[in-house]
Amino acid sequence: MKSTVLVIQVLLLAALCSVLLCENSHQPDECCFAFYPKRLPFQALASYKKTNSKCTKDAAIFTTKKGREICADAELHWVKKYIQLIDLLKKSVEEGSGY
C-alpha cells in the first residue's frame, strides 16, 4: 500500500515538473512561418513589430487599422520601406505632441 502511494506521488511530481518546464521554455512568443503573398497597401497599416531573432524566418508583423496581424518577409524592399515610414510617422507624432 505504501509503495503504491509513493509511486503515485512520484508520478504526480514528475508530471508537475514537466508542465512547469514547458511553460518556462525560452521560445519566442510570435514567429511567422508563412508570408502574405502580396504587397500590402500602406494606408491600411497602423503599426508593425519584428519577430524574435530566434524565429526561423526574419519577418515583420504588420497590424492593420482593423486590428488584423499580417506576416511579411522582412527582407523585401517594400517591407523595409514601410517599416521606415511607420517609424518616421511615429517619431513625428511624438515630437508634435510636446513630449
Side-chain angles (χ1 to χ4, degrees), residues 31-49:
C31 290
C32 294
F33 300 104
F35 299 128
Y36 189 75
K38 300 176 188 175
R39 183 178 183 152
L40 298 166
F42 183 75
Q43 303 85 331
L45 303 179
S47 64
Y48 78 94
K49 56 189 168 190

Side-chain angles (χ1 to χ4, degrees), residues 20 23 27 31 34 37 44-45 57 65 79 85 91 94 97:
L20 291 175
E23 288 179 6
Q27 298 298 321
C31 290
L45 303 179
K57 295 184 179 189
K65 292 177 180 174
V79 174
L85 288 171
K91 185 178 178 182
E94 289 172 356
S97 65

